Amino acid sequence: MALTREAVELLVQAARAWYFEGDQHGLRDREWMALRFLGRANRFSRTPTALAGFIGATKATASQIVKTLENKSYLVRKPSHEDKRSVVLCVTPQGEKCLSQHDPINHVLNAVTALGNDDCVRLHDSLTRVLNHLDAAHQRLNASTCRDCMFLAERGPAPGRGRTAEFVCRLYRAPIALEETELLCTSFERTRDRPKIDEQPERLRVVSQA
Ligand code: SF4
């Protein structure tokens, strides 16, 4: 029990790197959180609504944060290809540069990298399990990488397009490129056994009728 408490207290101390008073390099902690999320989010989650859910803010607060990031030229709004009435929030090259050079979590990234691969994997898996408990308890809108999502189905390489596997999102009914499977999505649902699209015709039919 003492060890558990110490571990949690260490986690709280580590969180001081990304929750802080005032600003760092011109951005408050929630603005950093928003920019960081939008820099890693997929096209379905780079919306004002998904951003508000992810940072745990009202839409009005999220909208103010978006305006701040736009004013600093770290963010632009573009029309959505998926839904013409919506906008997609895109991090600019200036925003990406700011993240790579000044993001307050960069020090934490370096420290975790120094642990080595095995410890890093253990830390990742342990924190994932802790967050899953917390999300279930608080019903927060969290995000994780598309590659582990139950809605992602793999299909074989398309004819004439090389041997790279292709993917499809069964929730949005949209193709997903290989590089997009590494991005964050707020509609994520965890699974251990992602089905091949051809192996799950009944399940797919149910999803497509939903
Ligand atoms: S497969 Fe899951 S994580 Fe990927 S886009 Fe669809 S809902 Fe989001």
Side-chain angles (χ1 to χ4, degrees):
M1 193 62 190
L3 183 63
T4 308
R5 175 167 286 278
E6 276 180 35
V8 172
E9 285 170 357
L10 288 171
L11 206 52
V12 172
Q13 286 184 47
R16 288 180 197 154
W18 55 88
Y19 284 120
F20 48 83
E21 290 293 321
D23 68 87
Q24 288 190 25
H25 295 279
L27 295 181
R28 301 172 74 84
D29 52 4
R30 255 189 179 177
E31 291 158 356
W32 275 114
M33 192 178 182
L35 186 60
R36 191 179 303 130
F37 168 70
L38 293 170
R40 286 257 291 133
N42 69 9
R43 63 192 194 274
F44 307 110
S45 298
R46 289 198 305 267
T47 66
T49 304
L51 175 65
F54 181 78
I55 64 175
T58 62
K59 283 188 189 166
T61 302
S63 168
Q64 190 54 48
I65 289 173
V66 167
K67 269 189 206 142
T68 301
L69 296 174
E70 281 181 310
N71 290 342
K72 290 180 179 288
S73 303
Y74 294 156
L75 207 61
V76 289
R77 292 169 203 248
K78 292 184 181 174
S80 166
H81 292 305
E82 323 294 329
D83 178 357
K84 299 293 175 210
R85 296 160 301 175
S86 304
V87 293
V88 177
L89 305 170
C90 300
V91 175
T92 63
Q94 258 174 286
E96 283 170 9
K97 188 174 171 192
C98 178
L99 278 169
S100 77
Q101 292 185 343
H102 304 301
D103 187 344
I105 72 159
N106 287 350
H107 299 298
V108 185
L109 282 175
N110 292 339
V112 172
T113 303
L115 292 175
N117 193 57
D118 289 351
D119 279 354
C120 193
V121 168
R122 273 192 287 272
L123 181 64
H124 170 275
D125 292 349
S126 300
L127 288 176
T128 299
R129 286 202 296 274
V130 170
L131 277 176
N132 285 345
H133 273 287
L134 293 177
D135 289 345
H138 297 108
Q139 299 194 329
R140 281 192 50 194
L141 181 57
N142 217 325
S144 196
T145 45
C146 190
R147 65 166 185 270
D148 298 325
C149 178
M150 65 176 283
F151 296 121
L152 188 70
E154 187 178 339
R155 53 187 181 188
R161 297 178 72 180
R163 297 199 57 77
T164 310
E166 292 197 334
F167 300 88
V168 64
C169 169
R170 295 175 300 126
L171 180 69
Y172 291 108
R173 295 181 225 166
I176 303 287
L178 181 62
E179 56 273 20
E180 288 181 295
T181 61
E182 295 300 315
L183 300 180
L184 297 176
C185 180
T186 52
S187 300
F188 168 91
E189 292 283 345
R190 184 167 303 284
T191 186
R192 291 199 178 279
D193 305 308
R194 188 176 64 235
K196 290 243 184 206
I197 194 165
D198 293 340
E199 294 171 358
Q200 298 284 325
E202 288 308 317
R203 203 168 157 196
L204 277 172
R205 205 169 298 134
V206 170
V207 169
S208 66
Q209 285 167 356

